[in-house]
Amino acid sequence: MALQYGSTHFLHDQDQVLVMSRRYLQEDCWIAINRSPQPAVVNIQLKDLPDSAVKLRNRPASLIKLLGQASAQYLGKGLYRLEIPPYASAVWAHP
């Protein structure tokens, strides 16, 4: 439901790479889009974001990939690393 309804927050917007979160009630999704011919690596630090963008308190830190070929890794202490192939996109959900 978060993909269709709710709020949008931009987590990363540089060059040809966009990462945003969609939030609806208790549901969070992340969407990553790489419009570049080069692979993209994006680090997202949650402590740098407003609480309205991502709320993970008392929830697992891992992301579940719903769609796409990109990868997401939780590095600890609120830091995520996303690797997005050229001209690719991906969608993840928080369990």
Side-chain angles (χ1 to χ4, degrees):
M1 295 288 284
L3 289 175
Q4 213 171 19
Y5 302 103
S7 58
T8 301
H9 301 274
F10 295 99
L11 309 179
H12 177 88
D13 183 11
Q14 286 186 334
D15 302 321
Q16 298 286 323
V17 181
L18 173 69
V19 180
M20 65 181 139
S21 73
R22 294 279 301 160
R23 181 174 181 81
Y24 180 71
L25 300 175
Q26 296 301 315
E27 188 176 313
D28 289 297
C29 290
W30 286 12
I31 300 100
I33 302 166
N34 181 4
R35 295 180 47 201
S36 166
Q38 305 298 321
V41 176
V42 177
N43 292 319
I44 305 289
Q45 178 57 257
L46 295 185
K47 71 179 182 180
D48 296 339
L49 302 173
D51 280 346
S52 60
V54 181
K55 290 191 178 185
L56 298 178
R57 292 186 187 114
N58 301 320
R59 296 169 72 181
S62 62
L63 296 169
I64 297 173
K65 185 166 45 173
L66 302 176
L67 180 69
Q69 298 177 10
S71 65
Q73 181 181 13
Y74 181 67
L75 302 176
K77 297 185 179 180
L79 181 62
Y80 288 83
R81 180 184 193 92
L82 309 179
E83 297 181 10
I84 313 155
Y87 301 116
S89 60
V91 178
W92 295 273
H94 285 285

